[in-house]
Structure formats: C-alpha cells, structure tokens
Amino acid sequence: MSELDQFYEVVLELVKQGGSLIRENISRQKNIQVKSCDVDLVTETDQMVEKLLMDGISAKFPDHKFIGEETTAQGHKVELTDAPTWIIDPVDGTMNFVHSMPHTCISIALYVNKVAEIGIVYNPVIEQFFSARRGQGAFLNGALIHVSGETELNKALVMMELGTSRDPEKMRIVMENLKTMTPLVHGTRALGSCALNMCMVAMGAADVMYEFGIHVWDIAAGDLIVREAGGTCIDPAGGDFDPLSRRALCASSPELAQKVSGTLVQYYPERD
C-alpha cells in the first residue's frame, strides 16, 4: 500500500464518522454563531467535524498540515506549502444545515507539493459520496462518473450562488451575471453548497458552475473531482484555475468554460 493509499484509507473512515455527526444533528436544534456577517454562520457541528478530521489525521500523520474553514475563521492564516496539506470544509452549506435542508456536505482535499491528490465530497443526509484520486477517475458511491461533455451555452444547466457576502459591489455583479446568463442558458440552479454544485458538473447533472467569493476549502476537493470526471476548472476570466483566488469556473468542456467566461462580468475578492 502506497503512502497516498494509507492517507486515503484513514480519511475515508474519518469522513464517514463526520458524516454521522451531520446526519444526527441536521434535524436537531442548533447552537448558531455568526462569523463575518449575519448570513455567514457556524454551528457546533461545523466545529466538531473539523476537530474530528484534524485530530484523526494528526494522530496518524503528525507532520501533515491543515487549512480548515473554522480554524481559519479563528485567526489561523491560510498557508499552502509543499507539505502534505488537508483542506477542509467540515460543513459546506452551513445555511442549509441550519435550516435542515439536505444539501450539505463535508469537503476535504489533500494537496502534496501544491498538487491535489485526493478529493472527497460527502453529503451524508442523502448518501452521496463523491471521491477522486489524481489519475484514477471520479466516483459517486463507488460508481465511475463523467461530465456531460456539453459544449453549447444554450443547452447548459448552470450552477451559481449568491454567496454569503452582502458587499454591494459583489451583489451588483452577481445579479448582473444572473440577468445576463439566464436568457442564454438552459437553466440556472443553486444548491447552496459550492462543493455540491461542482459535483453536479462532475456527475453530468449540470454543465457549468461558477462562483465568486468562495474559499479554497469550498473548491479544493470539487476541482479534483470535476477534472477526474473529464471536466475542466479555470479562472472565471479564462486563465488557469487558482485555488487561493476565491474564484472558480468549472464546466463539462473547455469550449463551454470559455463561452461562459466570455459572458461573465468579473469580480475579484481579496485572496485567501
């Protein structure tokens, strides 16, 4: 068994344990705290799942590093080095979780030498387990998945989000893009979870996902899953994907990605 195989086996079991916490608590009363604004929320479950994952990985691999949403919110700096680094969103879709909406998930990725090696997105409420290893394909509940391959904008189902920021300029651009894109595409959808939106593209259920203002923990796992499913992830302006840029565009084909990129009004948030 290779080192990466060992890493995957350990995190697989921990993610399942974390999923049990989400499943047990989603319908219960939550202790909710506010982070940067009234709609940027954190619950005890977010903190419990992140701690479970970090403690469990550290016990087996003490030299591994972490970028976690909740530890970052407490003042830990985002720092991606060549060291094996786990990038964790313990509950992506916290707003959904607070409202007991079942579109919520754990998102975790392993970067080694700044390259994504493992990506897992797990929605334990409706039992969707997305996984990918670099060079080994992408899977949903153990079955191989692939993007749709769609190239035409007018046939594309597009995943997008309003996001948690209520910055007026960002909101203006988000609404302008929604107004511009809607007549051009087959339809628009929003699950309330960036990671799950990306996985919809990976499994061929949607054709495009874009979002401004997300963080590296929202997109690190989804990026690998989309690419291993045959899709493409780029910067929304058309350049290379940068996981720390807080900008992402994923699509079922490079042609479709560039068509969407050429349509979007751009927004550049502060980097992670």
Side-chain angles (χ1 to χ4, degrees):
M1 183 181 287
S2 72
E3 266 196 336
L4 284 170
D5 290 335
Q6 293 177 46
F7 300 161
Y8 183 76
E9 290 301 317
V10 167
V11 80
L12 184 66
E13 183 57 36
L14 291 169
V15 167
K16 289 178 179 177
Q17 292 175 30
S20 295
L21 288 173
I22 292 173
R23 192 166 49 245
E24 290 164 8
N25 290 311
I26 190 167
S27 297
R28 296 177 179 172
Q29 186 171 353
K30 289 100 176 172
N31 181 5
I32 303 163
Q33 302 170 40
V34 174
K35 293 195 287 188
S36 62
C37 64
D38 288 345
V39 294
D40 189 9
L41 308 176
V42 62
T43 71
E44 288 176 328
T45 303
D46 295 73
Q47 295 164 338
M48 289 166 60
V49 172
E50 186 165 298
K51 187 175 188 305
L52 181 151
L53 293 169
M54 288 184 174
D55 288 354
I57 292 168
S58 292
K60 295 283 188 179
F61 314 112
D63 60 330
H64 286 202
K65 312 244 180 242
F66 298 94
I67 298 172
E69 177 177 10
E70 304 317 328
T71 51
T72 302
Q74 293 166 16
H76 292 252
K77 185 181 177 184
V78 171
E79 188 176 6
L80 183 58
T81 68
D82 287 341
T85 303
W86 296 92
I87 303 173
I88 301 170
D89 190 338
V91 182
D92 188 44
T94 298
M95 179 70 78
N96 286 352
F97 178 77
V98 165
H99 287 271
S100 303
M101 183 178 285
H103 299 301
T104 188
C105 64
I106 296 170
S107 174
I108 182 167
L110 174 66
Y111 272 52
V112 181
N113 296 318
K114 299 188 180 73
V115 174
E117 294 286 354
I118 293 171
I120 294 173
V121 173
Y122 179 37
N123 178 347
V125 187
I126 59 176
E127 283 299 337
Q128 289 179 315
F129 193 97
F130 297 91
S131 61
R133 300 272 303 274
R134 183 166 68 94
Q136 298 185 27
F139 299 84
L140 168 59
N141 296 341
L144 194 66
I145 56 174
H146 203 275
V147 296
S148 69
E150 183 59 64
T151 61
E152 297 301 321
L153 198 57
N154 65 349
K155 296 178 182 176
L157 188 63
V158 178
M159 310 300 297
M160 53 78 62
E161 293 289 341
L162 298 178
T164 56
S165 169
R166 294 299 181 261
D167 173 76
E169 178 62 9
K170 188 209 167 188
M171 290 302 300
R172 182 189 69 78
I173 290 173
V174 167
M175 299 310 291
E176 186 174 343
N177 281 326
L178 181 61
K179 184 178 179 181
T180 302
M181 290 287 292
T182 299
L184 302 178
V185 302
H186 218 187
T188 56
R189 298 290 184 270
L191 291 182
S193 160
C194 178
L196 288 176
N197 286 341
M198 296 174 88
C199 288
M200 294 304 104
V201 175
M203 69 181 289
D207 307 294
V208 177
M209 166 272 169
Y210 72 87
E211 189 169 352
F212 302 116
I214 32 72
H215 292 277
V216 62
W217 46 80
D218 298 304
I219 58 178
D223 160 57
L224 182 62
I225 293 167
V226 168
R227 288 188 289 108
E228 287 294 321
T232 185
C233 292
I234 64 172
D235 181 84
D240 292 338
F241 176 79
D242 177 354
L244 299 178
S245 70
R246 301 183 61 204
R247 298 159 43 84
L249 192 166
C250 300
S252 56
S253 65
E255 299 93 330
L256 186 56
Q258 291 300 327
K259 288 174 183 177
V260 173
S261 170
T263 304
L264 292 174
V265 177
Q266 300 297 319
Y267 176 74
Y268 293 90
E270 184 179 351
R271 291 173 57 82
D272 274 330

